Amino acid sequence: METPKTSSDEIDLMELFLKLVRTAKKNFTLILSFFIAGTLLGSVYGMFGTKVYESKMMVTSDILTDAYNDKLGENLNDLLKENNLTLISEKLSLSKEESENLVAIKIESAQKEKPSQKEDEKRWFLITAKVLNQEVLNKLETGIANYLENNEFVKVRIEQKKNFNRELIKKIEKEILTLENFKNKIYEGNFFENNKGNVMFDPTVVNVRIIELNKEKLKYQNDLEIINSIQIVQGFTKFNKPVSPNKAISLAAGATLGLFFVGMLIAFKSIRKVVRMAEEAEKK
């Protein structure tokens, strides 16, 4: 019982296919004209359309988090969508004329895998900017760095880290002073005079420990000097080739648009023909 039904379906599909072929053949000149016109329009747009350039910078931070940076990036893009040049200029330290060249800014983690990280471990972030004029990239680089740093959350975290390092340095200095006094007593003989019995002691142990503590002190002092919310690893680079408009994509989009419009035109003509035939049938 199913075989006739299948054969009928195949016949219907064949008839539909033949109708499409006949329609395409009948309107071949029209279809070709729209296809060529759409392709030409796409080519013109690809050559003379507004050029958008893309550049990336990489930063590292042991304060900023992935979620926090994602939110900062969203806020910037929301302002760009609203064309709120006043706030964009204020946040990125740009003039309004320079802000007009910004198209999009994206902040994302540069680490493909995001393993669980300790609070003070460095994280790497990739910042992608799309601009109309690449001359703004140098100021934008500085502006983004300032934007990431100049907020209460980051300022508090930086001050906490500075205070932590200062306290460690004080404790290490106190420990070094104690060991230095102890070493002086050993060399002066006061320590052994005040202790009866045999005392076995290697004074080089004290010297080694003093050296180790001085190394730790220098490390924390260096960290204190460079404590910052972010460090720029690689700044923006200017490229000669824009990311859009893409000539190949423009050509394909133009050709597709031409075929879409000619399809709509043919469909409209077919509907008019059907309506006209129905009206003539009613008159009879």
Side-chain angles (χ1 to χ4, degrees):
M1 297 295 291
E2 294 180 357
T3 304
K5 184 178 179 181
T6 303
S7 300
S8 176
D9 290 342
E10 290 177 354
I11 292 171
D12 291 341
L13 289 173
M14 183 61 69
E15 289 179 354
L16 178 62
F17 176 73
L18 290 174
K19 285 181 180 180
L20 291 174
V21 172
R22 285 195 293 268
T23 301
K25 184 177 179 181
K26 183 179 179 181
N27 298 278
F28 177 76
T29 303
L30 186 64
I31 293 172
L32 182 62
S33 299
F34 272 79
F35 177 81
I36 293 174
T39 303
L40 288 174
L41 287 174
S43 177
V44 170
Y45 176 76
M47 293 174 62
F48 301 104
T50 303
K51 291 178 173 57
V52 177
Y53 298 88
E54 182 179 279
S55 187
K56 301 177 185 291
M57 68 180 289
M58 182 175 288
V59 301
T60 183
S61 172
D62 52 7
I63 292 179
L64 299 176
T65 63
D66 295 333
Y68 185 76
N69 267 357
D70 288 343
K71 187 61 179 176
L72 290 177
E74 288 177 11
N75 290 341
L76 284 179
N77 277 312
D78 288 342
L79 291 174
L80 287 173
K81 290 176 182 177
E82 294 176 359
N83 199 30
N84 193 335
L85 299 181
T86 301
L87 276 179
I88 285 289
S89 301
E90 180 182 332
K91 290 181 179 296
L92 298 180
S93 304
L94 301 173
S95 66
K96 286 189 177 182
E97 291 74 16
E98 291 168 334
S99 298
E100 289 175 352
N101 291 297
L102 303 183
V103 177
I105 295 174
K106 183 179 181 181
I107 304 175
E108 59 185 336
S109 173
Q111 298 164 279
K112 294 182 179 179
E113 297 182 0
K114 299 180 182 179
S116 57
Q117 292 178 307
K118 296 180 181 179
E119 184 178 353
D120 290 334
E121 284 185 339
K122 285 189 177 296
R123 297 169 176 84
W124 302 80
F125 299 99
L126 192 65
I127 301 172
T128 304
K130 291 184 177 181
V131 298
L132 303 178
N133 186 347
Q134 296 189 94
E135 295 304 317
V136 76
L137 288 177
N138 288 337
K139 288 190 67 175
L140 180 61
E141 182 180 306
T142 305
I144 290 176
N146 292 335
Y147 171 66
L148 296 177
E149 293 174 345
N150 293 331
N151 57 80
E152 290 304 316
F153 170 78
V154 173
K155 289 178 181 178
V156 170
R157 290 291 303 277
I158 290 176
E159 194 58 34
Q160 287 175 342
K161 288 178 69 68
K162 286 182 177 180
N163 290 335
F164 178 74
N165 278 30
R166 291 189 188 106
E167 289 299 318
L168 285 176
I169 291 170
K170 288 180 181 178
K171 290 181 179 180
I172 291 173
E173 287 177 343
K174 185 176 180 180
E175 185 70 18
I176 291 174
L177 182 60
T178 301
L179 288 174
E180 289 285 358
N181 291 333
F182 177 62
K183 184 181 72 172
N184 291 334
K185 288 181 180 180
I186 292 174
Y187 285 119
E188 291 172 359
N190 297 333
F191 176 79
F192 295 104
E193 290 178 358
N194 297 330
N195 290 274
K196 297 180 179 180
N198 295 326
V199 179
M200 301 296 293
F201 181 76
D202 183 1
T204 59
V205 174
V206 178
N207 291 329
V208 170
R209 183 55 183 159
I210 290 174
I211 292 172
E212 290 175 350
L213 287 173
N214 274 296
K215 287 181 179 179
E216 290 183 28
K217 176 186 173 183
L218 287 173
K219 176 183 177 300
Y220 288 120
Q221 285 176 335
N222 291 334
D223 290 344
L224 183 61
E225 291 177 1
I226 63 173
I227 283 178
N228 209 337
S229 61
I230 70 166
Q231 292 82 43
I232 297 175
V233 179
Q234 174 66 53
F236 287 125
T237 303
K238 296 179 183 179
F239 296 97
N240 294 326
K241 187 176 180 180
V243 293
S244 67
N246 184 291
K247 291 183 180 179
I249 294 176
S250 297
L251 286 173
T256 303
L257 190 63
L259 292 175
F260 172 77
F261 279 118
V262 75
M264 294 291 292
L265 181 59
I266 292 172
F268 178 71
K269 289 171 63 177
S270 300
I271 292 172
R272 285 187 61 186
K273 183 178 179 181
V274 170
V275 171
R276 186 171 61 251
M277 291 175 62
E279 290 175 349
E280 290 176 355
E282 287 179 358
K283 288 179 181 180
K284 292 180 180 179

